[in-house]
Amino acid sequence: MSREVNTTMDKIVSSCEPQNRRKRQLKKLRPLLLVVPFAAFFYLFQLAPMIWVVINSFLYDDSWSLGNYLEVFDSKFIIQGFTNSLWISFWSSIVGLAIAALMVSSLRHLNNRIRSAVIAFTNMSSNFAGVPLAFAFIIILGTNGAVTLLLKQAGIIDDFNLYGQWGLLTLYIYFQIPLGILLLYPAFDALKQDWYDAAALLGASPMRYWLNIGIPVLAPALLGTFIILFANAIGAYASVYALTTGNYNMITIRIASLVSGDLFLEPNLAAAISVLLMALLALVTAVNQWLVSRSYRHA
């Protein structure tokens, strides 16, 4: 009797095994199914446009050629656009990163209520960009802006051109600072107050503490934040276009004029410029990753 019962139980268990196997497979596939919408969205709005840009950058007069790239390097106007964009992006990232680091370092010494209010304001101001930001700068620092007129009356400045190189640099620095603060704020939690106290007891000055302890610990975060700020600046379009109406030569303005201009439409040339811009950002990111890996290795 017991043998028959065991045989029956074995048959039931063996019949249930395929069902259990299917359930386990479904459980494994469920997370994958949830990723499918994101993958489709990523392909449609990231990979597909990138593939289109790369392919069309090699089409010149309806044939495969490097003519678009040769035209880019032969054009002093396009090279000037790259130079202006790189100059403004580099210095706005450096200055914005320095100011953001100082502000985050100061926030750590404030009470929680003030710190939360500053972070909330920073989060809000990080989204204040584009046309509204350009309009605000025109009102404040334009030719007849409120602050410009006050500084002229005080004799501090004779003239300030918001629509030139230094005016654009001021605009870029402004929208780099909130983003830098939000990115660096969690990184400063790695610094322990005990380290500062121990360094002070050993006779180290605040400057020596930051040079030997603080900055080396924060180096990966600082380098990563710099790359993000640099990419954020070099890809900016709406603010500079609204401020200068396209009269200042920036590489994003050149790309837009080639795909939506009123006179000459050269989307393939714009694609070649975009590929070079992507390659430049990829190179900067690769250098950043190399520096970050070295900083972790020597930490």
Side-chain angles (χ1 to χ4, degrees), residues 12 23 30 32 39 44-45 51 60 85 90 92 103 115 118 145-146 151 178 201 214 252 271 273 284 295:
I12 294 174
K23 288 181 179 180
R30 193 176 300 168
L32 183 62
L44 290 175
F45 294 96
I51 294 171
Y60 188 78
S85 294
F90 178 80
S92 66
M103 292 187 67
R115 190 186 310 165
V118 172
L151 293 176
L201 288 174
T252 51
I273 299 174
V284 173
S295 63

Side-chain angles (χ1 to χ4, degrees), residues 152-183:
K152 286 182 178 179
Q153 291 177 359
I156 298 176
I157 62 172
D158 295 328
D159 191 20
F160 178 73
N161 183 16
L162 178 63
Y163 313 103
Q165 185 182 50
W166 295 103
L168 284 173
L169 181 61
T170 305
L171 175 72
Y172 274 59
I173 290 173
Y174 175 83
F175 71 70
Q176 296 279 55
I177 293 173
L179 180 59
I181 291 174
L182 294 176
L183 292 173

Side-chain angles (χ1 to χ4, degrees), residues 135-215:
F135 181 67
F137 264 74
I138 291 172
I139 294 175
I140 297 173
L141 291 173
T143 305
N144 295 312
V147 176
T148 304
L149 294 178
L150 288 175
L151 293 176
K152 286 182 178 179
Q153 291 177 359
I156 298 176
I157 62 172
D158 295 328
D159 191 20
F160 178 73
N161 183 16
L162 178 63
Y163 313 103
Q165 185 182 50
W166 295 103
L168 284 173
L169 181 61
T170 305
L171 175 72
Y172 274 59
I173 290 173
Y174 175 83
F175 71 70
Q176 296 279 55
I177 293 173
L179 180 59
I181 291 174
L182 294 176
L183 292 173
L184 287 177
Y185 184 74
F188 271 72
D189 290 337
L191 296 178
K192 308 298 182 183
Q193 183 64 33
D194 296 342
W195 298 350
Y196 182 83
D197 296 338
L201 288 174
L202 293 173
S205 64
M207 179 65 69
R208 192 167 185 81
Y209 163 79
W210 282 106
L211 290 177
N212 293 346
I213 300 174
I215 294 179

Side-chain angles (χ1 to χ4, degrees), residues 1 25 29-30 43 52 63 74 86 89 99 118 134 168 194 198 220 227 253 257 260 262 287 299:
M1 185 69 179
Q25 291 176 351
L29 290 175
R30 193 176 300 168
Y43 173 77
W52 184 93
S63 62
D74 288 338
L86 289 173
S89 299
I99 296 175
V118 172
L168 284 173
D194 296 342
I227 293 302
I253 300 295
S257 65
S260 62
D262 297 330
V287 173

